[in-house]
């Protein structure tokens, strides 16, 4: 008898954003006249910057000539891109990395899910709550969690660290020691950030408690304030306790192109069953060389172009475009008396639902009455109940239209 991985059966049947898509499709079918504006999934709307398109074209041409054709590339990524990353994303911020500590991938989501391959099923996992569902779901798939509480919201074998307006969305250190801690800053979904000293507390905690931090920095490009760290490695000794995930999806509009990278420092060591310390970089390299044949050459050339002076300027324009949306949305929502968070150094706005409406009730009303799609906070975890996420990644005109609909809405 063939057996499936039973862990999958513990999960809700579909992923949060697939669920929302189904609801929206059903609404469209029954309201074909409605002009729906999506401020739901954090997908970008600006086209790829011209300098990146040029790089893509010339890489495509290279593939058509015998002298410049490329077959399999290095599984870890081409050095031309690794070097640019080390130089621009880290050295420029005072962080020294070797190129073989940077692994190019097809996006942060894959690596965040795949990292579980090199971690024992016995590890105790902690997440901030609300949380990007991929962290939790992939741990259930991997057998590190799987017992659901009666409320249908908590996995009892995961430590949830609440982040709400009560603690200003700054997570407290956990009462119980986790082995693995997921942190995402700027945060998805709340759009909030941590100051250097706040992140330092987590690094110190991990050093003292022999925990591993999985740090998702997919939204770092949206940071404007000087005192907010872009990388966890800006904190002293973080290389001994943290893996960092980066993505070009939001930074440069690569949600469709697919490229990101993961930093696994060589000084990061964790224990095997016998207590012997093992170099995580070597394990991840073993995993990648076995299961991954690298990101396509043309996409890596596209990513390289982001780091050219012109590329930096062009992607910055898109980031500012989205942040203008964020400011507009924030002003409008504040003016109608809603309480909201985030949106200053992140493309997400976290809204407290008014009149104690549940997240899903607010979702339904916003869709039915304004034809606007957002993401219910409860979809990100129990502490998300009573909140709602809006993204600034929409087209400017749609954001303005959404604002006008919300302003005229009888809530
Ligand atoms: C989100 O909306 O949270 C993101 O788009 C999901 C993702 O990046 O995978």
């Amino acid at each position: 008898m063939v057996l499936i991985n039973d862990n999958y059966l513990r999960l809700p049947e579909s992923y949060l954003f697939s669920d929302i898509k189904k609801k929206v499709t059903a609404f469209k079918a029954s309201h074909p006249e409605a002009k729906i504006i999506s401020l739901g999934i954090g997908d970008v709307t600006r086209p790829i910057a011209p300098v990146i398109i040029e790089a893509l074209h010339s890489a495509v041409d290279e593939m058509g000539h015998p002298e410049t054709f490329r077959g399999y590339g290095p599984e870890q990524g081409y050095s031309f891109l690794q070097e640019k990353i080390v130089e621009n994303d880290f050295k420029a911020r005072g962080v020294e990395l070797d190129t073989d500590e940077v692994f190019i991938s097809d996006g942060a989501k894959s690596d965040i899910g795949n990292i579980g391959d090199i971690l024992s099923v016995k590890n105790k996992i902690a997440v901030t709550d609300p949380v990007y569902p991929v962290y939790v779901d992939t741990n259930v798939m991997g057998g590190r969690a799987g017992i659901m509480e009666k409320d249908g919201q908590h996995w009892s074998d995961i430590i949830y660290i609440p982040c709400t307006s009560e603690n200003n969305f700054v997570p407290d250190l956990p009462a119980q020691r986790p082995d693995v801690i997921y942190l995402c800053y700027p945060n998805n979904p709340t759009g909030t950030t941590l100051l250097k000293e706040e992140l330092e507390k987590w690094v110190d905690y991990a050093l003292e408690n022999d925990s591993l931090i999985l740090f998702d920095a997919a939204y770092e490009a949206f940071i404007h304030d000087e005192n907010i760290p872009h990388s966890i490695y800006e904190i002293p000794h973080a290389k001994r306790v943290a893996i960092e995930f980066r993505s070009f999806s939001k930074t440069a509009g690569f949600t469709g192109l697919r490229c990101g990278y993961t930093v696994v420092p060589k000084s990061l060591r964790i224990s095997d069953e016998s207590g012997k310390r093992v170099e995580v970089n070597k394990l991840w390299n073993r995993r990648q060389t076995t299961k991954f044949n690298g990101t396509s050459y043309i996409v890596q050339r596209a990513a390289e172009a982001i780091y050219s002076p012109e590329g930096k300027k062009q992607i910055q324009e898109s980031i500012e475009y989205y942040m203008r949306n964020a400011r507009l949305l924030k002003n409008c929502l504040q003016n109608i008396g809603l309480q909201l968070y985030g949106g200053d150094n992140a493309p997400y706005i976290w809204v407290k639902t008014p009149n104690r409406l549940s997240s899903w009730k607010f979702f339904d009303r916003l869709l039915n009455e304004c034809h606007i799609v957002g993401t219910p906070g409860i979809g990100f975890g129990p502490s998300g109940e009573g909140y709602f996420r809006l993204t600034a990644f929409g087209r400017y005109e749609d954001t303005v239209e959404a604002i006008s609909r919300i302003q005229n809405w009888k809530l």
Side-chain angles (χ1 to χ4, degrees), residues 59-335:
V60 166
D61 289 343
E62 281 182 63
M63 294 300 249
H65 297 283
E67 314 78 54
T68 47
F69 165 76
R70 313 266 179 146
Y72 289 130
E75 296 91 340
Q76 304 82 352
Y78 283 98
S79 56
F80 62 75
L81 180 55
Q82 290 169 314
E83 279 159 18
K84 290 283 185 325
I85 289 168
V86 165
E87 199 61 30
N88 292 276
D89 290 349
F90 296 97
K91 202 169 181 174
R93 297 196 176 278
V95 176
E96 294 293 334
L97 284 180
D98 293 335
T99 49
D100 58 359
E101 294 177 301
V102 175
F103 294 82
I104 313 295
S105 69
D106 64 354
K109 187 177 187 173
S110 321
D111 282 359
I112 287 167
N114 293 332
I115 199 73
D117 281 12
I118 62 164
L119 298 173
S120 164
V121 290
K122 294 181 186 164
N123 285 315
K124 185 87 187 165
I125 307 298
V127 294
T128 55
D129 169 29
V131 65
Y132 180 39
V134 173
Y135 311 155
V136 171
D137 288 6
T138 55
N139 276 294
V140 175
M141 289 171 176
R144 269 172 298 277
I147 306 164
M148 179 53 88
E149 292 279 320
K150 283 204 193 70
D151 64 5
Q153 292 301 328
H154 283 77
W155 296 96
S156 53
D157 33 17
I158 287 185
I159 301 169
Y160 289 80
I161 306 167
C163 294
T164 61
S165 56
E166 269 116 68
N167 59 4
N168 210 15
F169 301 94
V170 178
D172 291 327
L173 294 172
Q176 184 196 354
R177 178 195 161 275
D179 298 296
V180 180
I181 304 162
Y182 286 83
L183 295 177
C184 173
Y185 288 97
N187 186 255
N188 180 15
T190 64
T192 57
T193 47
L194 285 190
L195 298 172
K196 222 171 207 159
E197 55 272 24
E198 290 164 341
L199 186 55
E200 200 161 78
K201 273 208 303 208
W202 284 93
V203 170
D204 291 346
Y205 178 88
L207 284 161
E208 276 159 31
N209 290 277
D210 190 22
S211 302
L212 170 69
I213 297 178
L214 299 178
F215 190 75
D216 181 351
Y219 299 93
E220 63 77 35
F222 296 84
I223 296 174
H224 284 278
D225 294 353
E226 280 303 307
N227 49 355
I228 297 172
H230 289 243
S231 164
I232 195 164
Y233 305 122
E234 290 176 49
I235 310 297
H237 311 301
K239 281 196 213 163
R240 285 168 43 205
V241 290
I243 292 175
E244 182 165 307
F245 303 92
R246 292 276 187 114
S247 165
F248 295 114
S249 287
K250 318 293 155 93
T251 310
F254 274 48
T255 53
L257 272 183
R258 310 303 312 151
C259 193
Y261 65 89
T262 292
V263 179
V264 188
K266 284 181 279 194
S267 48
L268 174 65
R269 288 182 169 76
I270 57 178
S271 300
D272 68 8
E273 286 274 345
S274 70
K276 193 175 127 238
R277 303 298 277 179
V278 176
E279 218 183 280
V280 182
N281 180 288
K282 283 197 182 139
L283 290 191
W284 185 244
N285 191 50
R286 184 70 173 85
R287 192 264 169 216
Q288 291 298 80
T289 48
T290 308
K291 289 198 177 181
F292 184 56
N293 260 337
T295 306
S296 77
Y297 172 71
I298 58 175
V299 167
Q300 292 191 63
R301 279 293 183 204
E304 181 194 27
I306 296 169
Y307 296 102
S308 64
E310 205 45 35
K312 284 181 187 169
K313 199 167 136 262
Q314 291 174 5
I315 64 165
Q316 197 53 40
E317 280 164 16
S318 287
I319 289 168
E320 274 156 27
Y321 174 100
Y322 295 131
M323 291 315 281
R324 176 173 62 158
N325 287 347
R327 278 194 301 279
L328 288 174
L329 277 168
K330 279 193 76 168
N331 284 343
C332 152
L333 299 170
Q334 257 153 3
N335 287 345

Side-chain angles (χ1 to χ4, degrees), residues 15 17 40-43 109 132 188 219 250 348 380 389:
Y15 180 57
F17 293 106
I41 190 164
D43 195 6
K109 187 177 187 173
Y132 180 39
N188 180 15
Y219 299 93
K250 318 293 155 93
Y348 294 124
F380 296 102
R389 193 191 75 175

